[in-house]
Amino acid sequence: MDVTLIQVPYDSGHREVRMGRGPGHLVSLGAAQAVEAATGGNVAMERVEADTAFTTEIGTAFELAHKLTGEIARARRNGTFPLVLAGNCMSSVGTITGLTDVPRLGIVWLDAHGDLNTPETSPTGFLDGMALAVCTGRCWGTLAGSLPGFEAVPDERILHVGARALDPAEDTLFREGDFLSVSGDALRNGGAGVLEDPLEALAARADAVYLHLDMDVHDARTVRANPFAEPGGPSPQQVRRLIDAIAQRIPVAGAAVTAYAPDYDRDGAAGQAALELLQTVASAVAVRH
Ligand SMILES: [Mn+2]
């Protein structure tokens, strides 16, 4: 299986700072070689950059998403697997838009946070905390709608995995919403088996999924991926088992590893976990290919 590895080295519109340094750092650690070794195929490298000289958090995020849409669609047309390394979770909006050749696209979202805030509910104003809300059509509809082919993914085709740091409005959504979810606590205590039922439900509703891996899904006590990392989640080994379980159950049309800030990774454990994660995703998808 050939892979297109696409870097989006931005955080909040800023290039190569904080989580925006993650993609380049992972490439310097050998991300492409790791993926190549896992698949036995070729790895093409692409990179998305903003043209706009003056950065705005929202405008630049959607400009990057727009460009990423084109890269994802091109990777699919070339018969390669699109694997995104992005600073921000907002890259997901561009990725799902580029995957619109999948009839019923679903999303599996691994993250300590909900990423389901809207401008009305966000307590911080951090756009990245709205990424899954944009993907599900909850906010920024005009900008998302300007991406060629954007279609919101319905809640019943969403599986959220690893949440343990929800804001008040998100907490209500997780209790009352239509999407599937497995919390960080459930993961720690139940292992990969806790995904069985939700994955079966999702497999009946979706033809393939976009696999979103926010590095802060990991327990912050072993892997400190970024400033928002939280204790209480799965270990790297548990995350890798989850990915195998997901890929065995549902075709994965594209994937991303996001939100890795090398400056916060003092012992290198998060970088190592990210590399092994890329390898796990690549080999799990290649086996099914
Ligand atoms: Mn996130």
Side-chain angles (χ1 to χ4, degrees), residues 10-254:
Y10 287 79
D11 183 348
S12 308
H14 305 285
R15 192 175 171 280
E16 299 276 359
V17 291
R18 201 173 62 162
M19 300 187 292
R21 285 192 54 226
H25 191 73
L26 292 175
V27 168
S28 74
L29 289 177
Q33 292 82 349
V35 169
E36 208 167 60
T39 60
N42 292 321
V43 177
M45 303 289 282
E46 298 291 346
R47 193 181 171 91
V48 168
E49 305 268 353
D51 293 325
T52 317
F54 188 80
T55 292
T56 63
E57 183 178 14
I58 301 160
T60 307
F62 280 94
E63 182 191 353
L64 294 168
H66 194 143
K67 292 188 163 190
L68 180 56
T69 293
E71 292 294 343
I72 298 283
R74 194 162 25 253
R76 296 274 294 176
R77 274 200 306 274
N78 293 339
T80 74
F81 178 76
L83 186 51
V84 178
L85 299 177
N88 282 149
C89 293
M90 276 294 287
S91 61
S92 57
V93 180
T95 303
I96 64 161
T97 306
L99 295 176
T100 38
D101 60 306
V102 177
R104 294 178 304 160
L105 182 69
I107 300 177
V108 181
W109 191 283
L110 276 69
D111 202 318
H113 310 92
D115 288 8
L116 275 162
N117 276 306
T118 68
E120 295 302 317
T121 67
S122 170
T124 63
F126 185 34
L127 184 67
D128 235 31
M130 308 179 201
L132 187 52
V134 180
C135 290
T136 52
R138 289 183 159 80
C139 58
W140 299 115
T142 300
L143 281 164
S146 73
L147 306 182
F150 174 81
E151 269 179 55
V153 176
D155 279 4
E156 60 267 21
R157 280 189 238 143
I158 306 291
L159 169 56
H160 192 294
V161 180
R164 55 197 181 273
L166 299 174
D167 293 315
E170 291 180 316
D171 198 52
T172 308
L173 263 181
F174 270 74
R175 277 188 281 107
E176 297 170 5
D178 289 330
F179 54 89
L180 301 154
S181 66
V182 176
S183 72
D185 282 349
L187 282 184
R188 265 207 95 70
N189 304 327
V194 297
L195 280 192
E196 228 166 86
D197 289 347
L199 277 176
E200 193 174 321
L202 188 62
R205 302 169 190 172
D207 297 306
V209 295
Y210 158 59
L211 177 57
H212 181 89
L213 305 165
D214 184 319
M215 282 301 293
D216 69 27
V217 71
H218 293 97
D219 191 320
R221 286 168 298 201
T222 49
V223 167
R224 185 156 185 85
N226 63 41
F228 316 104
E230 293 276 345
S235 68
Q237 192 190 33
Q238 283 174 312
V239 173
R240 293 199 297 274
R241 283 205 202 109
L242 296 172
I243 289 166
D244 278 330
I246 293 160
Q248 273 168 30
R249 196 70 191 79
I250 311 184
V252 177

